[in-house]
Amino acid sequence: GAVVSQHPSWVICKSGTSVKIECRSLDFQATTMFWYRQFPKQSLMLMATSNEGSKATYEQGVEKDKFLINHASLTLSTLTVTSAHPEDSSFYICSAREPGRGLNTEAFFGQGTRLTVV
Amino acid sequence: GESVGLHLPTLSVQEGDNSIINCAYSNSASDYFIWYKQESGKGPQFIIDIRSNMDKRQGQRVTVLLNKTVKHLSLQIAATQPGDSAVYFCAERAASGGYNKLIFGAGTRLAVHP
């Protein structure tokens, strides 16, 4: 299957700073990528849909000014957690779907990024 | 709102036994379902999928059953192995805004004992 890579795998930052997480599709071009958040022992919750060349679509309750998404190219989407606070500590996961394979295809997930805000 | 849920949060099985993980969904318009496996500290890994025009699909050691009448999905794992220990999520495709996002269920932890 297609490969999606996230960087970094884990990051610790101080409260009030910003952190950028990268999501790359390594062997295919993804016009659409998805960002999820997962708290311990909970399910994945979709935060936003990242669209190459246009604004991201955020889910209800997700602050767009807090979680900045930039889909700069067909292989890269970034999520920036601005002015991070301890409650932003979570596991962030991205996914991408291979275009041209139809809508009913699996999305490929990155390995996730563990963010800890101290 | 629409949601996907699971009946059993934790399932313990003996190595070699068959496992059945269940999932209920509420959106009757969902037309595509996926089962994912997630190991600790990793992203979800695709296991098997099924379209709504099917009621059964088989893979290697796994079978997914779909009952649209009662909006129920199940994942059967044959001859469960220790390496199958993980959290399993069902997900449904919900067309929204043209982006066809996935909605995940709560997850079931599968613990395989030797």
Side-chain angles (χ1 to χ4, degrees):
Chain A
V3 179
V4 176
S5 178
Q6 277 183 247
H7 178 81
S9 297
W10 59 271
V11 58
I12 301 174
C13 71
K14 291 184 178 181
S15 187
T17 62
S18 295
V19 174
K20 180 184 286 188
I21 302 170
E22 294 185 347
C23 179
R24 294 181 184 273
S25 56
L26 298 187
D27 52 0
F28 66 100
Q29 294 182 328
T31 55
T32 304
M33 293 183 175
F34 303 87
W35 286 97
Y36 295 83
R37 182 175 182 175
Q38 185 178 31
F39 290 109
K41 299 183 180 180
Q42 294 189 23
S43 187
L44 283 74
M45 294 198 61
L46 181 66
M47 299 175 66
T49 302
S50 174
N51 312 298
E52 190 271 334
S54 64
K55 292 183 179 180
T57 304
Y58 288 82
E59 294 301 300
Q60 190 173 10
V62 177
E63 301 176 58
K64 57 184 67 176
D65 294 331
K66 172 77 172 176
F67 300 99
L68 300 179
I69 291 173
N70 183 23
H71 198 140
S73 74
L74 288 171
T75 59
L76 174 64
S77 175
T78 60
L79 168 67
T80 301
V81 183
T82 62
S83 186
H85 291 285
E87 57 265 30
D88 297 324
S89 298
S90 188
F91 195 52
Y92 292 87
I93 311 172
C94 71
S95 73
R97 183 178 293 124
E98 275 191 277
R101 293 187 60 211
L103 297 174
N104 284 347
T105 57
E106 70 272 22
F108 297 99
F109 284 81
Q111 71 271 36
T113 298
R114 173 75 60 194
L115 170 63
T116 303
V117 185
V118 297
Chain B
E2 302 289 359
S3 65
V4 177
L6 291 174
H7 296 303
L8 300 173
T10 304
L11 178 65
S12 294
V13 299
Q14 206 75 18
E15 181 178 357
D17 287 351
N18 296 333
S19 302
I20 300 176
I21 301 172
N22 296 301
C23 177
Y25 64 95
S26 57
N27 187 349
S28 56
S30 293
D31 59 0
Y32 178 59
F33 305 88
I34 310 174
W35 279 102
Y36 287 96
K37 173 186 180 183
Q38 187 180 30
E39 297 175 320
S40 181
K42 297 183 180 179
Q45 177 185 359
F46 171 86
I47 301 174
I48 192 169
D49 60 359
I50 189 168
R51 293 176 172 75
S52 60
N53 60 353
M54 304 169 68
D55 52 22
K56 180 179 181 179
R57 191 170 188 213
Q58 287 184 292
Q60 190 175 28
R61 276 202 311 120
V62 295
T63 301
V64 55
L65 299 178
L66 174 62
N67 185 332
K68 294 183 288 296
T69 302
V70 296
K71 289 183 282 189
H72 183 267
L73 197 66
S74 69
L75 176 69
Q76 300 178 3
I77 304 174
T80 313
Q81 302 169 1
D84 295 327
S85 294
V87 178
Y88 290 80
F89 293 98
C90 65
E92 64 176 320
R93 182 182 83 103
S96 175
Y99 296 113
N100 298 285
K101 59 186 179 183
L102 290 176
I103 296 175
F104 281 77
T108 293
R109 179 172 297 281
L110 177 64
V112 183
H113 302 287

